[in-house]
Amino acid sequence: MPRLHVIAGDEELGGPGFLDSLAGLVAVGRGRLAVHLRGRGMSARGLCGVAKGAVGVGRKGGTLILVNDRLDVALAVGAGGVHLREDSMGPGEVREVVGEGGRGFLVGRSIHAPEQAAALAVGGVDYLVLGSVYETMSHPGGSPIGVDAVAAAVSLVAVPVLAIGGVGPGEVPGLLARGAHGVVVKSGVWGANDPSRAVTRYLEMLHAEG
């Protein structure tokens, strides 16, 4: 399970240079990166087209490509897994659809409080994403749950827990110290002047010795 997960949303997926930008991230990630395709405003056909190209780029660089929410698209393009929201189909239902042939197919789930972790960890998920840990522009006015919530969630489950929400490279050490497996970011990469350099910086912090 990679320690750095980068979300590509509608704006990124709909851009004409997305696959080239993705290739840049894949090149510096060197297999230590996962990319989530979150096309909430895209049609199934549109998302499928972009996802197919992204899976091809990911395979060349050993990078895990996950599709958010849309299990049909994930299976159609041969993605490495699906990431579920609270209002998505349940992890157990995903496992039923995927069947025995999908043993390597990853299923992740977003949670917003530590107490959600224990129930989901026995329901077929491979990892959990917890947040928002810090204040974030994507959820203005929201109440961040704080780093202690990460430690609480980690204590309840055996699967990796990744932190999301306002996480910059400087916050990484504190999150790892509380047991987080890694982090999930969006604007920290795509909002940077040099997204590839931003990925490199996150990876440096996530894989720093000691």
Side-chain angles (χ1 to χ4, degrees):
M1 174 63 62
R3 290 185 178 273
L4 177 61
H5 291 225
V6 176
I7 296 173
D10 288 306
E11 184 177 356
E12 291 78 31
L13 296 176
F18 171 67
L19 292 182
D20 288 336
S21 298
L22 176 62
L25 302 192
V26 167
V28 299
R30 294 181 295 175
R32 299 180 296 170
L33 173 71
V35 177
H36 293 231
L37 309 181
R38 191 175 72 185
R40 291 178 178 173
M42 302 180 72
S43 66
R45 177 179 294 179
L47 180 57
C48 195
V50 175
K52 187 176 295 184
V55 167
V57 171
R59 282 176 179 163
K60 291 179 181 177
T63 296
L64 177 64
I65 303 295
L66 303 167
V67 177
N68 282 36
D69 190 44
R70 296 300 301 263
L71 176 61
D72 54 343
V73 173
L75 293 175
V77 302
V82 66
H83 183 79
L84 306 173
R85 307 182 309 198
E86 285 187 322
D87 59 355
S88 300
M89 62 192 301
E93 295 170 312
V94 171
R95 292 297 183 195
E96 289 180 9
V97 173
V98 174
E100 290 296 321
R103 291 184 180 274
F105 189 82
L106 297 179
V107 179
R109 172 68 149 74
S110 291
I111 59 174
H112 300 95
E115 52 267 26
Q116 293 178 280
L120 286 165
V122 297
V125 296
D126 296 294
Y127 69 92
L128 295 169
V129 172
L130 174 67
S132 296
V133 176
Y134 302 102
E135 291 186 9
T136 173
M137 291 184 295
S138 63
H139 294 83
S143 299
I145 59 176
V147 295
D148 289 339
V150 176
V154 169
S155 71
L156 294 172
V157 297
V159 299
V161 176
L162 299 105
I164 190 172
V167 180
E171 283 71 51
V172 167
L175 292 167
L176 296 182
R178 288 166 174 80
H181 176 76
V183 300
V184 183
V185 300
K186 185 178 185 293
S187 60
V189 168
W190 299 112
N193 291 330
D194 185 343
S196 294
R197 175 57 190 158
V199 164
T200 297
R201 183 59 179 151
Y202 275 107
L203 290 172
E204 288 172 348
M205 299 303 290
L206 285 163
H207 293 276
E209 293 296 329

